[in-house]
Each structure stands twice: as C-alpha cells, then as structure tokens.
C-alpha cells in the first residue's frame, strides 16, 4: 500500500508537452498565490470528505497528493 501512496499515478492527460501539469503552472504564477493555495486546500478537503461514499482509498491517495503539493507550495520548494 505504501508504494501506491508514494507513487501516485498522475494521468498523462493532465501534463503538457513540457512535462508540467496545471498545478505546476498555478504554482509558477498562472494565478495568484492565494488562489493556488485555495485550489490545493479545496482538493484535499474534497477527496477526504467524499472518500467513504465515492472513491475509497483512491480518493485518500489523491488527497494525500494534493496535501503533499500544498506542503511543497508552502515550503517554497519542489521535492518531486
């Protein structure tokens, strides 16, 4: 299970030719910092709230990925 959590399968359809996804672009300034922060926090909440009724473990893994990205965003680094 740890491998599944640590190796979140990010669908390639969300990645541009340059290897960046929309969240990368948000973090680079496409939208203001507060909006990027709100997007990440909102997705953490969304996946945690719905996991029992909809996506189960997959939703918890997605919530974990958004939380990881939020932590990186707040830390100002990119540890991926």
């Amino acid at each position: 299970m740890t491998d599944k959590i640590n190796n979140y399968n990010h669908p390639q359809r969300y990645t541009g030719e340059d290897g960046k996804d929309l969240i990368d672009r948000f973090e680079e300034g496409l939208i203001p910092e507060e909006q990027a922060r709100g997007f990440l926090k909102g997705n953490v909440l969304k996946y945690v709230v719905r996991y029992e009724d909809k996506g189960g473990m997959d939703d918890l893994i997605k919530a974990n990925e958004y939380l990881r990205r939020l932590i990186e965003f707040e830390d100002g680094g990119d540890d991926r």
Side-chain angles (χ1 to χ4, degrees):
M1 183 56 64
T2 302
D3 286 340
K4 188 174 182 181
I5 293 169
N6 291 335
N7 297 313
Y8 171 69
N9 183 20
H10 185 76
Q12 287 300 315
R13 67 181 174 268
Y14 297 125
T15 305
E17 291 178 8
D18 60 0
K20 295 179 181 179
D21 65 12
L22 188 58
I23 299 170
D24 293 327
R25 296 181 200 304
F26 288 170
E27 293 167 345
E28 291 174 348
L30 179 65
I31 60 176
E33 274 189 27
E34 196 56 37
Q35 290 179 6
R37 185 176 288 112
F39 175 83
L40 293 168
K41 288 175 12 180
N43 277 292
V44 170
L45 292 171
K46 171 180 75 173
Y47 287 115
V48 168
V49 167
R50 78 179 201 179
Y51 87 93
E52 291 180 300
D53 296 323
K54 190 169 182 183
M57 185 60 71
D58 286 338
D59 276 353
L60 290 177
I61 291 167
K62 290 176 186 177
N64 184 64
E65 175 66 10
Y66 280 104
L67 181 57
R68 183 191 65 75
R69 291 187 79 150
L70 178 60
I71 291 167
E72 285 180 7
F73 180 77
E74 292 297 344
D75 191 39
D78 187 5
D79 297 327
R80 281 182 280 160

